[in-house]
Amino acid sequence: MSHSRLAALVALPVLLAQGAFAEAAVDETPAPAGLQVELNAAETTDANCTLTFLITNTLDTPLEKAVYETVLFDQNGTVDRLTLFDFGTLPVGRPRVRQFVVPQTTCENLGRILFNGAQTCAGEGVDAGICESDLSLTSRTEIEVLG
């Protein structure tokens, strides 16, 4: 084996490791401070819609209670109902999954969910308005989520 080929084989793991490190460094950008709420799944069971949310608190402080008034719209854009989603306790930096059953409607009937405002936003030293001002909403489903 030639010296140049041997040098290339020795250098290859180092180059691969550097590339992996650079890629990992890019992926580790911190999430903006606030509450990230993702509608992760929507499943119809027995004529009820089960909505599954993934919520992450990236604020500086844990929340003892976060309750949102939400408005559910049907596929035609008509208000179906107003309801409260209680996300409960939200520790800092630890994702939580919460499920809510919407009775007497199928998920296929829902077109949009509006986070109308925070009814409760409580924690030690927490400004109640932070649950609205620093709210980021996304959806992995066909149902649009906005606020």
PDB file of all heavy atoms in Angstrom, residues 83-125:
ATOM      1  N   THR A  83     -63.513  25.505  23.535  1.00  0.00           N
ATOM      2  CA  THR A  83     -63.179  24.551  24.579  1.00  0.00           C
ATOM      3  C   THR A  83     -61.887  24.976  25.264  1.00  0.00           C
ATOM      4  O   THR A  83     -61.195  25.881  24.788  1.00  0.00           O
ATOM      5  CB  THR A  83     -63.061  23.118  24.007  1.00  0.00           C
ATOM      6  OG1 THR A  83     -62.943  22.195  25.079  1.00  0.00           O
ATOM      7  CG2 THR A  83     -61.890  22.981  23.060  1.00  0.00           C
ATOM      8  N   LEU A  84     -61.567  24.335  26.360  1.00  0.00           N
ATOM      9  CA  LEU A  84     -60.327  24.596  27.079  1.00  0.00           C
ATOM     10  C   LEU A  84     -59.412  23.386  26.966  1.00  0.00           C
ATOM     11  O   LEU A  84     -59.855  22.248  27.160  1.00  0.00           O
ATOM     12  CB  LEU A  84     -60.600  24.887  28.559  1.00  0.00           C
ATOM     13  CG  LEU A  84     -61.421  26.134  28.864  1.00  0.00           C
ATOM     14  CD1 LEU A  84     -61.722  26.213  30.364  1.00  0.00           C
ATOM     15  CD2 LEU A  84     -60.702  27.392  28.397  1.00  0.00           C
ATOM     16  N   PHE A  85     -58.149  23.625  26.638  1.00  0.00           N
ATOM     17  CA  PHE A  85     -57.134  22.579  26.633  1.00  0.00           C
ATOM     18  C   PHE A  85     -56.198  22.856  27.806  1.00  0.00           C
ATOM     19  O   PHE A  85     -55.506  23.864  27.829  1.00  0.00           O
ATOM     20  CB  PHE A  85     -56.333  22.561  25.331  1.00  0.00           C
ATOM     21  CG  PHE A  85     -57.088  22.040  24.133  1.00  0.00           C
ATOM     22  CD1 PHE A  85     -56.624  22.307  22.859  1.00  0.00           C
ATOM     23  CD2 PHE A  85     -58.232  21.279  24.257  1.00  0.00           C
ATOM     24  CE1 PHE A  85     -57.285  21.827  21.738  1.00  0.00           C
ATOM     25  CE2 PHE A  85     -58.907  20.791  23.145  1.00  0.00           C
ATOM     26  CZ  PHE A  85     -58.419  21.065  21.877  1.00  0.00           C
ATOM     27  N   ASP A  86     -56.195  21.947  28.775  1.00  0.00           N
ATOM     28  CA  ASP A  86     -55.361  22.086  29.969  1.00  0.00           C
ATOM     29  C   ASP A  86     -54.087  21.270  29.760  1.00  0.00           C
ATOM     30  O   ASP A  86     -54.106  20.045  29.812  1.00  0.00           O
ATOM     31  CB  ASP A  86     -56.130  21.598  31.196  1.00  0.00           C
ATOM     32  CG  ASP A  86     -55.372  21.784  32.497  1.00  0.00           C
ATOM     33  OD1 ASP A  86     -54.160  22.103  32.467  1.00  0.00           O
ATOM     34  OD2 ASP A  86     -55.993  21.599  33.555  1.00  0.00           O
ATOM     35  N   PHE A  87     -52.972  21.964  29.518  1.00  0.00           N
ATOM     36  CA  PHE A  87     -51.694  21.303  29.285  1.00  0.00           C
ATOM     37  C   PHE A  87     -50.982  20.955  30.588  1.00  0.00           C
ATOM     38  O   PHE A  87     -49.927  20.330  30.571  1.00  0.00           O
ATOM     39  CB  PHE A  87     -50.805  22.166  28.388  1.00  0.00           C
ATOM     40  CG  PHE A  87     -51.275  22.196  26.963  1.00  0.00           C
ATOM     41  CD1 PHE A  87     -52.068  23.228  26.509  1.00  0.00           C
ATOM     42  CD2 PHE A  87     -50.938  21.186  26.084  1.00  0.00           C
ATOM     43  CE1 PHE A  87     -52.514  23.260  25.198  1.00  0.00           C
ATOM     44  CE2 PHE A  87     -51.373  21.202  24.770  1.00  0.00           C
ATOM     45  CZ  PHE A  87     -52.164  22.246  24.323  1.00  0.00           C
ATOM     46  N   GLY A  88     -51.550  21.371  31.714  1.00  0.00           N
ATOM     47  CA  GLY A  88     -51.010  20.989  33.017  1.00  0.00           C
ATOM     48  C   GLY A  88     -49.662  21.605  33.313  1.00  0.00           C
ATOM     49  O   GLY A  88     -49.337  22.708  32.892  1.00  0.00           O
ATOM     50  N   THR A  89     -48.844  20.856  34.049  1.00  0.00           N
ATOM     51  CA  THR A  89     -47.516  21.284  34.458  1.00  0.00           C
ATOM     52  C   THR A  89     -46.540  21.109  33.303  1.00  0.00           C
ATOM     53  O   THR A  89     -46.518  20.056  32.663  1.00  0.00           O
ATOM     54  CB  THR A  89     -47.041  20.448  35.666  1.00  0.00           C
ATOM     55  OG1 THR A  89     -48.000  20.596  36.713  1.00  0.00           O
ATOM     56  CG2 THR A  89     -45.686  20.880  36.151  1.00  0.00           C
ATOM     57  N   LEU A  90     -45.727  22.150  33.074  1.00  0.00           N
ATOM     58  CA  LEU A  90     -44.758  22.092  31.977  1.00  0.00           C
ATOM     59  C   LEU A  90     -43.365  22.463  32.487  1.00  0.00           C
ATOM     60  O   LEU A  90     -43.037  23.632  32.657  1.00  0.00           O
ATOM     61  CB  LEU A  90     -45.182  23.048  30.851  1.00  0.00           C
ATOM     62  CG  LEU A  90     -46.535  22.756  30.212  1.00  0.00           C
ATOM     63  CD1 LEU A  90     -46.938  23.876  29.277  1.00  0.00           C
ATOM     64  CD2 LEU A  90     -46.509  21.421  29.487  1.00  0.00           C
ATOM     65  N   PRO A  91     -42.524  21.447  32.748  1.00  0.00           N
ATOM     66  CA  PRO A  91     -41.163  21.729  33.205  1.00  0.00           C
ATOM     67  C   PRO A  91     -40.339  22.349  32.069  1.00  0.00           C
ATOM     68  O   PRO A  91     -40.673  22.190  30.893  1.00  0.00           O
ATOM     69  CB  PRO A  91     -40.623  20.343  33.589  1.00  0.00           C
ATOM     70  CG  PRO A  91     -41.445  19.382  32.817  1.00  0.00           C
ATOM     71  CD  PRO A  91     -42.785  20.022  32.617  1.00  0.00           C
ATOM     72  N   VAL A  92     -39.268  23.017  32.406  1.00  0.00           N
ATOM     73  CA  VAL A  92     -38.407  23.655  31.413  1.00  0.00           C
ATOM     74  C   VAL A  92     -37.636  22.596  30.624  1.00  0.00           C
ATOM     75  O   VAL A  92     -37.038  21.693  31.209  1.00  0.00           O
ATOM     76  CB  VAL A  92     -37.417  24.631  32.088  1.00  0.00           C
ATOM     77  CG1 VAL A  92     -36.417  25.194  31.076  1.00  0.00           C
ATOM     78  CG2 VAL A  92     -38.163  25.756  32.774  1.00  0.00           C
ATOM     79  N   GLY A  93     -37.680  22.711  29.286  1.00  0.00           N
ATOM     80  CA  GLY A  93     -36.853  21.895  28.411  1.00  0.00           C
ATOM     81  C   GLY A  93     -37.225  20.435  28.294  1.00  0.00           C
ATOM     82  O   GLY A  93     -36.490  19.671  27.672  1.00  0.00           O
ATOM     83  N   ARG A  94     -38.349  20.028  28.861  1.00  0.00           N
ATOM     84  CA  ARG A  94     -38.742  18.622  28.787  1.00  0.00           C
ATOM     85  C   ARG A  94     -40.058  18.512  28.024  1.00  0.00           C
ATOM     86  O   ARG A  94     -41.093  18.954  28.515  1.00  0.00           O
ATOM     87  CB  ARG A  94     -38.880  18.037  30.189  1.00  0.00           C
ATOM     88  CG  ARG A  94     -37.518  18.055  30.898  1.00  0.00           C
ATOM     89  CD  ARG A  94     -37.517  17.369  32.215  1.00  0.00           C
ATOM     90  NE  ARG A  94     -37.890  15.977  32.088  1.00  0.00           N
ATOM     91  CZ  ARG A  94     -38.415  15.267  33.076  1.00  0.00           C
ATOM     92  NH1 ARG A  94     -38.636  15.824  34.248  1.00  0.00           N
ATOM     93  NH2 ARG A  94     -38.724  14.012  32.897  1.00  0.00           N
ATOM     94  N   PRO A  95     -40.030  17.944  26.834  1.00  0.00           N
ATOM     95  CA  PRO A  95     -41.261  17.825  26.049  1.00  0.00           C
ATOM     96  C   PRO A  95     -42.316  17.024  26.795  1.00  0.00           C
ATOM     97  O   PRO A  95     -42.008  16.079  27.523  1.00  0.00           O
ATOM     98  CB  PRO A  95     -40.814  17.077  24.788  1.00  0.00           C
ATOM     99  CG  PRO A  95     -39.334  17.204  24.752  1.00  0.00           C
ATOM    100  CD  PRO A  95     -38.876  17.356  26.165  1.00  0.00           C
ATOM    101  N   ARG A  96     -43.562  17.399  26.597  1.00  0.00           N
ATOM    102  CA  ARG A  96     -44.705  16.709  27.192  1.00  0.00           C
ATOM    103  C   ARG A  96     -45.728  16.434  26.104  1.00  0.00           C
ATOM    104  O   ARG A  96     -45.928  17.256  25.204  1.00  0.00           O
ATOM    105  CB  ARG A  96     -45.355  17.550  28.295  1.00  0.00           C
ATOM    106  CG  ARG A  96     -44.485  17.731  29.514  1.00  0.00           C
ATOM    107  CD  ARG A  96     -44.348  16.383  30.230  1.00  0.00           C
ATOM    108  NE  ARG A  96     -43.547  16.463  31.424  1.00  0.00           N
ATOM    109  CZ  ARG A  96     -42.377  15.874  31.561  1.00  0.00           C
ATOM    110  NH1 ARG A  96     -41.835  15.206  30.578  1.00  0.00           N
ATOM    111  NH2 ARG A  96     -41.717  15.951  32.695  1.00  0.00           N
ATOM    112  N   VAL A  97     -46.394  15.298  26.198  1.00  0.00           N
ATOM    113  CA  VAL A  97     -47.471  14.945  25.269  1.00  0.00           C
ATOM    114  C   VAL A  97     -48.775  15.018  26.030  1.00  0.00           C
ATOM    115  O   VAL A  97     -48.885  14.496  27.145  1.00  0.00           O
ATOM    116  CB  VAL A  97     -47.259  13.530  24.678  1.00  0.00           C
ATOM    117  CG1 VAL A  97     -48.461  13.103  23.849  1.00  0.00           C
ATOM    118  CG2 VAL A  97     -45.985  13.488  23.844  1.00  0.00           C
ATOM    119  N   ARG A  98     -49.744  15.688  25.422  1.00  0.00           N
ATOM    120  CA  ARG A  98     -51.085  15.812  26.013  1.00  0.00           C
ATOM    121  C   ARG A  98     -52.108  15.435  24.954  1.00  0.00           C
ATOM    122  O   ARG A  98     -51.973  15.814  23.795  1.00  0.00           O
ATOM    123  CB  ARG A  98     -51.351  17.235  26.505  1.00  0.00           C
ATOM    124  CG  ARG A  98     -50.342  17.776  27.504  1.00  0.00           C
ATOM    125  CD  ARG A  98     -50.469  17.087  28.869  1.00  0.00           C
ATOM    126  NE  ARG A  98     -49.666  17.761  29.876  1.00  0.00           N
ATOM    127  CZ  ARG A  98     -48.572  17.250  30.412  1.00  0.00           C
ATOM    128  NH1 ARG A  98     -48.145  16.065  30.066  1.00  0.00           N
ATOM    129  NH2 ARG A  98     -47.913  17.936  31.332  1.00  0.00           N
ATOM    130  N   GLN A  99     -53.128  14.693  25.383  1.00  0.00           N
ATOM    131  CA  GLN A  99     -54.212  14.298  24.477  1.00  0.00           C
ATOM    132  C   GLN A  99     -55.527  14.876  24.959  1.00  0.00           C
ATOM    133  O   GLN A  99     -55.786  14.931  26.166  1.00  0.00           O
ATOM    134  CB  GLN A  99     -54.327  12.777  24.395  1.00  0.00           C
ATOM    135  CG  GLN A  99     -53.229  12.137  23.590  1.00  0.00           C
ATOM    136  CD  GLN A  99     -53.490  10.668  23.342  1.00  0.00           C
ATOM    137  OE1 GLN A  99     -53.979   9.956  24.209  1.00  0.00           O
ATOM    138  NE2 GLN A  99     -53.162  10.213  22.144  1.00  0.00           N
ATOM    139  N   PHE A 100     -56.332  15.266  23.989  1.00  0.00           N
ATOM    140  CA  PHE A 100     -57.660  15.799  24.275  1.00  0.00           C
ATOM    141  C   PHE A 100     -58.649  15.119  23.351  1.00  0.00           C
ATOM    142  O   PHE A 100     -58.418  15.024  22.141  1.00  0.00           O
ATOM    143  CB  PHE A 100     -57.701  17.320  24.053  1.00  0.00           C
ATOM    144  CG  PHE A 100     -56.667  18.048  24.854  1.00  0.00           C
ATOM    145  CD1 PHE A 100     -55.460  18.433  24.280  1.00  0.00           C
ATOM    146  CD2 PHE A 100     -56.874  18.332  26.199  1.00  0.00           C
ATOM    147  CE1 PHE A 100     -54.497  19.095  25.023  1.00  0.00           C
ATOM    148  CE2 PHE A 100     -55.908  18.989  26.950  1.00  0.00           C
ATOM    149  CZ  PHE A 100     -54.722  19.373  26.352  1.00  0.00           C
ATOM    150  N   VAL A 101     -59.756  14.641  23.916  1.00  0.00           N
ATOM    151  CA  VAL A 101     -60.808  14.012  23.133  1.00  0.00           C
ATOM    152  C   VAL A 101     -61.892  15.054  22.874  1.00  0.00           C
ATOM    153  O   VAL A 101     -62.421  15.652  23.810  1.00  0.00           O
ATOM    154  CB  VAL A 101     -61.397  12.776  23.860  1.00  0.00           C
ATOM    155  CG1 VAL A 101     -62.563  12.202  23.084  1.00  0.00           C
ATOM    156  CG2 VAL A 101     -60.314  11.736  24.076  1.00  0.00           C
ATOM    157  N   VAL A 102     -62.177  15.265  21.599  1.00  0.00           N
ATOM    158  CA  VAL A 102     -63.247  16.175  21.205  1.00  0.00           C
ATOM    159  C   VAL A 102     -64.448  15.296  20.861  1.00  0.00           C
ATOM    160  O   VAL A 102     -64.444  14.605  19.843  1.00  0.00           O
ATOM    161  CB  VAL A 102     -62.834  17.040  19.997  1.00  0.00           C
ATOM    162  CG1 VAL A 102     -63.944  18.008  19.639  1.00  0.00           C
ATOM    163  CG2 VAL A 102     -61.532  17.772  20.290  1.00  0.00           C
ATOM    164  N   PRO A 103     -65.464  15.290  21.725  1.00  0.00           N
ATOM    165  CA  PRO A 103     -66.584  14.381  21.513  1.00  0.00           C
ATOM    166  C   PRO A 103     -67.480  14.817  20.355  1.00  0.00           C
ATOM    167  O   PRO A 103     -67.571  15.997  20.013  1.00  0.00           O
ATOM    168  CB  PRO A 103     -67.345  14.429  22.835  1.00  0.00           C
ATOM    169  CG  PRO A 103     -66.952  15.713  23.471  1.00  0.00           C
ATOM    170  CD  PRO A 103     -65.599  16.071  22.945  1.00  0.00           C
ATOM    171  N   GLN A 104     -68.112  13.828  19.761  1.00  0.00           N
ATOM    172  CA  GLN A 104     -69.152  14.023  18.754  1.00  0.00           C
ATOM    173  C   GLN A 104     -68.683  14.785  17.522  1.00  0.00           C
ATOM    174  O   GLN A 104     -69.435  15.548  16.928  1.00  0.00           O
ATOM    175  CB  GLN A 104     -70.384  14.688  19.364  1.00  0.00           C
ATOM    176  CG  GLN A 104     -70.965  13.897  20.501  1.00  0.00           C
ATOM    177  CD  GLN A 104     -72.032  14.652  21.262  1.00  0.00           C
ATOM    178  OE1 GLN A 104     -72.277  15.825  21.038  1.00  0.00           O
ATOM    179  NE2 GLN A 104     -72.671  13.965  22.187  1.00  0.00           N
ATOM    180  N   THR A 105     -67.436  14.576  17.135  1.00  0.00           N
ATOM    181  CA  THR A 105     -66.938  15.085  15.858  1.00  0.00           C
ATOM    182  C   THR A 105     -65.776  14.211  15.416  1.00  0.00           C
ATOM    183  O   THR A 105     -65.055  13.668  16.245  1.00  0.00           O
ATOM    184  CB  THR A 105     -66.512  16.565  15.920  1.00  0.00           C
ATOM    185  OG1 THR A 105     -66.325  17.044  14.582  1.00  0.00           O
ATOM    186  CG2 THR A 105     -65.235  16.769  16.703  1.00  0.00           C
ATOM    187  N   THR A 106     -65.613  14.093  14.110  1.00  0.00           N
ATOM    188  CA  THR A 106     -64.475  13.345  13.582  1.00  0.00           C
ATOM    189  C   THR A 106     -63.338  14.324  13.305  1.00  0.00           C
ATOM    190  O   THR A 106     -63.574  15.512  13.070  1.00  0.00           O
ATOM    191  CB  THR A 106     -64.848  12.609  12.284  1.00  0.00           C
ATOM    192  OG1 THR A 106     -65.170  13.580  11.274  1.00  0.00           O
ATOM    193  CG2 THR A 106     -66.014  11.655  12.498  1.00  0.00           C
ATOM    194  N   CYS A 107     -62.135  13.828  13.303  1.00  0.00           N
ATOM    195  CA  CYS A 107     -60.985  14.683  13.010  1.00  0.00           C
ATOM    196  C   CYS A 107     -61.054  15.187  11.571  1.00  0.00           C
ATOM    197  O   CYS A 107     -60.611  16.303  11.288  1.00  0.00           O
ATOM    198  CB  CYS A 107     -59.691  13.916  13.245  1.00  0.00           C
ATOM    199  SG  CYS A 107     -59.433  13.422  14.966  1.00  0.00           S
ATOM    200  N   GLU A 108     -61.627  14.388  10.684  1.00  0.00           N
ATOM    201  CA  GLU A 108     -61.765  14.798   9.289  1.00  0.00           C
ATOM    202  C   GLU A 108     -62.686  16.008   9.158  1.00  0.00           C
ATOM    203  O   GLU A 108     -62.597  16.759   8.195  1.00  0.00           O
ATOM    204  CB  GLU A 108     -62.299  13.636   8.444  1.00  0.00           C
ATOM    205  CG  GLU A 108     -61.354  12.446   8.348  1.00  0.00           C
ATOM    206  CD  GLU A 108     -61.292  11.584   9.612  1.00  0.00           C
ATOM    207  OE1 GLU A 108     -62.241  11.617  10.438  1.00  0.00           O
ATOM    208  OE2 GLU A 108     -60.290  10.884   9.787  1.00  0.00           O
ATOM    209  N   ASN A 109     -63.561  16.216  10.135  1.00  0.00           N
ATOM    210  CA  ASN A 109     -64.472  17.351  10.131  1.00  0.00           C
ATOM    211  C   ASN A 109     -63.779  18.644  10.574  1.00  0.00           C
ATOM    212  O   ASN A 109     -64.239  19.728  10.258  1.00  0.00           O
ATOM    213  CB  ASN A 109     -65.682  17.076  11.035  1.00  0.00           C
ATOM    214  CG  ASN A 109     -66.724  18.165  10.960  1.00  0.00           C
ATOM    215  OD1 ASN A 109     -67.131  18.565   9.872  1.00  0.00           O
ATOM    216  ND2 ASN A 109     -67.142  18.668  12.108  1.00  0.00           N
ATOM    217  N   LEU A 110     -62.662  18.524  11.312  1.00  0.00           N
ATOM    218  CA  LEU A 110     -61.968  19.712  11.810  1.00  0.00           C
ATOM    219  C   LEU A 110     -61.028  20.272  10.743  1.00  0.00           C
ATOM    220  O   LEU A 110     -60.240  19.534  10.149  1.00  0.00           O
ATOM    221  CB  LEU A 110     -61.169  19.389  13.073  1.00  0.00           C
ATOM    222  CG  LEU A 110     -61.977  18.997  14.303  1.00  0.00           C
ATOM    223  CD1 LEU A 110     -61.047  18.673  15.463  1.00  0.00           C
ATOM    224  CD2 LEU A 110     -62.938  20.104  14.688  1.00  0.00           C
ATOM    225  N   GLY A 111     -61.094  21.587  10.551  1.00  0.00           N
ATOM    226  CA  GLY A 111     -60.226  22.220   9.578  1.00  0.00           C
ATOM    227  C   GLY A 111     -59.148  23.079  10.211  1.00  0.00           C
ATOM    228  O   GLY A 111     -58.066  23.239   9.659  1.00  0.00           O
ATOM    229  N   ARG A 112     -59.463  23.606  11.403  1.00  0.00           N
ATOM    230  CA  ARG A 112     -58.547  24.564  12.015  1.00  0.00           C
ATOM    231  C   ARG A 112     -58.780  24.626  13.517  1.00  0.00           C
ATOM    232  O   ARG A 112     -59.896  24.462  13.988  1.00  0.00           O
ATOM    233  CB  ARG A 112     -58.858  25.894  11.363  1.00  0.00           C
ATOM    234  CG  ARG A 112     -58.064  27.000  11.589  1.00  0.00           C
ATOM    235  CD  ARG A 112     -58.305  28.158  10.641  1.00  0.00           C
ATOM    236  NE  ARG A 112     -59.687  28.553  10.491  1.00  0.00           N
ATOM    237  CZ  ARG A 112     -60.088  29.507   9.689  1.00  0.00           C
ATOM    238  NH1 ARG A 112     -59.221  30.145   8.948  1.00  0.00           N
ATOM    239  NH2 ARG A 112     -61.344  29.836   9.608  1.00  0.00           N
ATOM    240  N   ILE A 113     -57.700  24.897  14.255  1.00  0.00           N
ATOM    241  CA  ILE A 113     -57.772  25.114  15.704  1.00  0.00           C
ATOM    242  C   ILE A 113     -57.119  26.461  15.982  1.00  0.00           C
ATOM    243  O   ILE A 113     -55.965  26.686  15.601  1.00  0.00           O
ATOM    244  CB  ILE A 113     -57.051  24.004  16.491  1.00  0.00           C
ATOM    245  CG1 ILE A 113     -57.673  22.648  16.203  1.00  0.00           C
ATOM    246  CG2 ILE A 113     -57.065  24.312  17.985  1.00  0.00           C
ATOM    247  CD1 ILE A 113     -56.907  21.472  16.767  1.00  0.00           C
ATOM    248  N   LEU A 114     -57.863  27.338  16.628  1.00  0.00           N
ATOM    249  CA  LEU A 114     -57.359  28.657  16.991  1.00  0.00           C
ATOM    250  C   LEU A 114     -57.092  28.690  18.492  1.00  0.00           C
ATOM    251  O   LEU A 114     -58.001  28.420  19.287  1.00  0.00           O
ATOM    252  CB  LEU A 114     -58.378  29.739  16.629  1.00  0.00           C
ATOM    253  CG  LEU A 114     -58.106  31.148  17.167  1.00  0.00           C
ATOM    254  CD1 LEU A 114     -56.836  31.730  16.553  1.00  0.00           C
ATOM    255  CD2 LEU A 114     -59.303  32.047  16.903  1.00  0.00           C
ATOM    256  N   PHE A 115     -55.846  28.994  18.872  1.00  0.00           N
ATOM    257  CA  PHE A 115     -55.535  29.233  20.278  1.00  0.00           C
ATOM    258  C   PHE A 115     -55.937  30.683  20.546  1.00  0.00           C
ATOM    259  O   PHE A 115     -55.231  31.616  20.170  1.00  0.00           O
ATOM    260  CB  PHE A 115     -54.050  28.987  20.558  1.00  0.00           C
ATOM    261  CG  PHE A 115     -53.726  27.535  20.787  1.00  0.00           C
ATOM    262  CD1 PHE A 115     -53.854  26.604  19.766  1.00  0.00           C
ATOM    263  CD2 PHE A 115     -53.307  27.098  22.027  1.00  0.00           C
ATOM    264  CE1 PHE A 115     -53.574  25.274  19.977  1.00  0.00           C
ATOM    265  CE2 PHE A 115     -53.016  25.754  22.252  1.00  0.00           C
ATOM    266  CZ  PHE A 115     -53.160  24.837  21.226  1.00  0.00           C
ATOM    267  N   ASN A 116     -57.103  30.847  21.158  1.00  0.00           N
ATOM    268  CA  ASN A 116     -57.738  32.152  21.325  1.00  0.00           C
ATOM    269  C   ASN A 116     -57.096  32.976  22.441  1.00  0.00           C
ATOM    270  O   ASN A 116     -57.194  34.194  22.432  1.00  0.00           O
ATOM    271  CB  ASN A 116     -59.224  31.937  21.621  1.00  0.00           C
ATOM    272  CG  ASN A 116     -60.103  33.018  21.067  1.00  0.00           C
ATOM    273  OD1 ASN A 116     -59.751  33.686  20.109  1.00  0.00           O
ATOM    274  ND2 ASN A 116     -61.257  33.193  21.676  1.00  0.00           N
ATOM    275  N   GLY A 117     -56.465  32.315  23.380  1.00  0.00           N
ATOM    276  CA  GLY A 117     -55.802  33.005  24.478  1.00  0.00           C
ATOM    277  C   GLY A 117     -55.559  32.060  25.625  1.00  0.00           C
ATOM    278  O   GLY A 117     -56.128  30.974  25.695  1.00  0.00           O
ATOM    279  N   ALA A 118     -54.682  32.494  26.518  1.00  0.00           N
ATOM    280  CA  ALA A 118     -54.379  31.688  27.697  1.00  0.00           C
ATOM    281  C   ALA A 118     -55.364  32.046  28.796  1.00  0.00           C
ATOM    282  O   ALA A 118     -55.457  33.193  29.200  1.00  0.00           O
ATOM    283  CB  ALA A 118     -52.956  31.929  28.164  1.00  0.00           C
ATOM    284  N   GLN A 119     -56.128  31.051  29.251  1.00  0.00           N
ATOM    285  CA  GLN A 119     -57.040  31.282  30.371  1.00  0.00           C
ATOM    286  C   GLN A 119     -56.266  31.274  31.682  1.00  0.00           C
ATOM    287  O   GLN A 119     -56.529  32.052  32.575  1.00  0.00           O
ATOM    288  CB  GLN A 119     -58.156  30.235  30.399  1.00  0.00           C
ATOM    289  CG  GLN A 119     -59.186  30.589  31.456  1.00  0.00           C
ATOM    290  CD  GLN A 119     -59.920  29.389  31.985  1.00  0.00           C
ATOM    291  OE1 GLN A 119     -59.340  28.332  32.151  1.00  0.00           O
ATOM    292  NE2 GLN A 119     -61.199  29.569  32.250  1.00  0.00           N
ATOM    293  N   THR A 120     -55.274  30.360  31.770  1.00  0.00           N
ATOM    294  CA  THR A 120     -54.430  30.254  32.957  1.00  0.00           C
ATOM    295  C   THR A 120     -52.985  30.072  32.507  1.00  0.00           C
ATOM    296  O   THR A 120     -52.702  29.258  31.628  1.00  0.00           O
ATOM    297  CB  THR A 120     -54.834  29.053  33.832  1.00  0.00           C
ATOM    298  OG1 THR A 120     -56.208  29.152  34.163  1.00  0.00           O
ATOM    299  CG2 THR A 120     -54.009  28.991  35.106  1.00  0.00           C
ATOM    300  N   CYS A 121     -52.097  30.837  33.119  1.00  0.00           N
ATOM    301  CA  CYS A 121     -50.662  30.720  32.865  1.00  0.00           C
ATOM    302  C   CYS A 121     -49.997  30.995  34.196  1.00  0.00           C
ATOM    303  O   CYS A 121     -49.850  32.154  34.592  1.00  0.00           O
ATOM    304  CB  CYS A 121     -50.229  31.726  31.805  1.00  0.00           C
ATOM    305  SG  CYS A 121     -48.467  31.653  31.410  1.00  0.00           S
ATOM    306  N   ALA A 122     -49.630  29.932  34.913  1.00  0.00           N
ATOM    307  CA  ALA A 122     -49.169  30.116  36.288  1.00  0.00           C
ATOM    308  C   ALA A 122     -47.840  29.413  36.523  1.00  0.00           C
ATOM    309  O   ALA A 122     -47.601  28.317  36.042  1.00  0.00           O
ATOM    310  CB  ALA A 122     -50.214  29.565  37.257  1.00  0.00           C
ATOM    311  N   GLY A 123     -47.009  30.090  37.274  1.00  0.00           N
ATOM    312  CA  GLY A 123     -45.729  29.563  37.699  1.00  0.00           C
ATOM    313  C   GLY A 123     -45.048  30.620  38.541  1.00  0.00           C
ATOM    314  O   GLY A 123     -45.407  31.799  38.480  1.00  0.00           O
ATOM    315  N   GLU A 124     -44.062  30.212  39.311  1.00  0.00           N
ATOM    316  CA  GLU A 124     -43.387  31.154  40.193  1.00  0.00           C
ATOM    317  C   GLU A 124     -42.643  32.207  39.369  1.00  0.00           C
ATOM    318  O   GLU A 124     -41.807  31.894  38.530  1.00  0.00           O
ATOM    319  CB  GLU A 124     -42.396  30.409  41.083  1.00  0.00           C
ATOM    320  CG  GLU A 124     -41.808  31.277  42.163  1.00  0.00           C
ATOM    321  CD  GLU A 124     -40.952  30.466  43.123  1.00  0.00           C
ATOM    322  OE1 GLU A 124     -41.291  29.295  43.394  1.00  0.00           O
ATOM    323  OE2 GLU A 124     -39.956  31.020  43.577  1.00  0.00           O
ATOM    324  N   GLY A 125     -43.020  33.459  39.552  1.00  0.00           N
ATOM    325  CA  GLY A 125     -42.386  34.558  38.832  1.00  0.00           C
ATOM    326  C   GLY A 125     -42.772  34.659  37.371  1.00  0.00           C
ATOM    327  O   GLY A 125     -42.094  35.323  36.594  1.00  0.00           O
TER     328      GLY A 125
END
